[in-house]
Amino acid sequence: VFDIDHFKPINDQYGHAAGDAVLRAMAAACRSAIRTEDLIGRIGGEEFAMVMPHTDQAAAFAIVERLREAVAETRIATGEGQTVSVTISIGLAQYGDQEVHRLLRDADRALYVAKDQGRNQIRYAEPVAIAATQ
C-alpha cells in the first residue's frame, strides 16, 4: 500500500486541477517503474494498493524502491507556471495464508510506520500474532 505524502496541501495551495495533475503524473511514473505483471489500483483519495504476484521480499523491495524514486523525480506543472514534486510512503506486506483484509491491514499499518518515521520511505509489515478463538 502506498500513499502520496502531503497531498492535501497541494490541493489547498494550487487547486484540485493541480492535484489531479499530480495523480496523473504519479500514475505515469508508476507505469514506468513496475513490471507488466504488477497491478496498481487507487483505493481512495491519494492511497493506492499494489499487487506483485510471485515476488519475494527482496524483489518486492527493489520494485517499490524503483517506484518511490520514479515518483520523487517527477515534476508536475501546477498550471500557474510553477512545478511541484511529491513523494510516497510505502507499506509492504507479504501474502501468506491470511485473508486479504488482513494483508491490506498489515500493509496499511506498515505505511503509517513509514509516515510516522519521516515519509518518503518503505516499511515492512511486522508479523502480528492472532490469538485463535474457539
Side-chain angles (χ1 to χ4, degrees), residues 1-81:
V1 173
F2 62 95
D3 187 288
I4 302 172
D5 298 326
H6 306 294
F7 184 70
K8 185 178 181 330
I10 292 172
N11 276 334
D12 292 348
Q13 183 173 352
Y14 299 106
H16 289 281
D20 290 345
V22 166
L23 291 171
R24 285 191 304 276
M26 198 207 61
C30 288
R31 280 191 299 274
S32 73
I34 65 172
R35 307 167 305 177
T36 56
E37 64 266 31
D38 299 329
L39 176 67
I40 296 177
R42 187 174 176 192
I43 56 176
E46 68 275 7
E47 191 169 32
F48 299 80
M50 181 173 170
V51 177
M52 296 175 278
H54 310 291
T55 306
D56 65 22
Q57 194 174 44
F61 184 89
I63 293 163
V64 296
E65 176 61 15
R66 189 170 59 232
L67 171 62
R68 189 192 64 74
E69 289 173 353
V71 170
E73 292 169 359
T74 302
R75 301 294 175 258
I76 303 109
T78 65
E80 298 177 3

Side-chain angles (χ1 to χ4, degrees), residues 60-130:
F61 184 89
I63 293 163
V64 296
E65 176 61 15
R66 189 170 59 232
L67 171 62
R68 189 192 64 74
E69 289 173 353
V71 170
E73 292 169 359
T74 302
R75 301 294 175 258
I76 303 109
T78 65
E80 298 177 3
Q82 296 176 304
T83 61
V84 296
S85 59
V86 295
T87 58
I88 57 176
S89 295
I90 302 166
L92 280 176
Q94 187 167 0
Y95 179 71
D97 61 355
Q98 75 272 47
E99 295 178 10
V100 172
H101 74 276
R102 271 196 53 215
L103 179 67
L104 284 171
R105 184 195 65 210
D106 293 347
D108 199 52
R109 188 176 294 130
L111 165 66
Y112 280 93
V113 170
K115 288 187 165 295
D116 288 344
Q117 293 181 350
R119 302 177 191 262
N120 191 28
Q121 57 188 284
I122 304 160
R123 290 291 175 255
Y124 288 107
E126 294 290 327
V128 177
I130 304 294

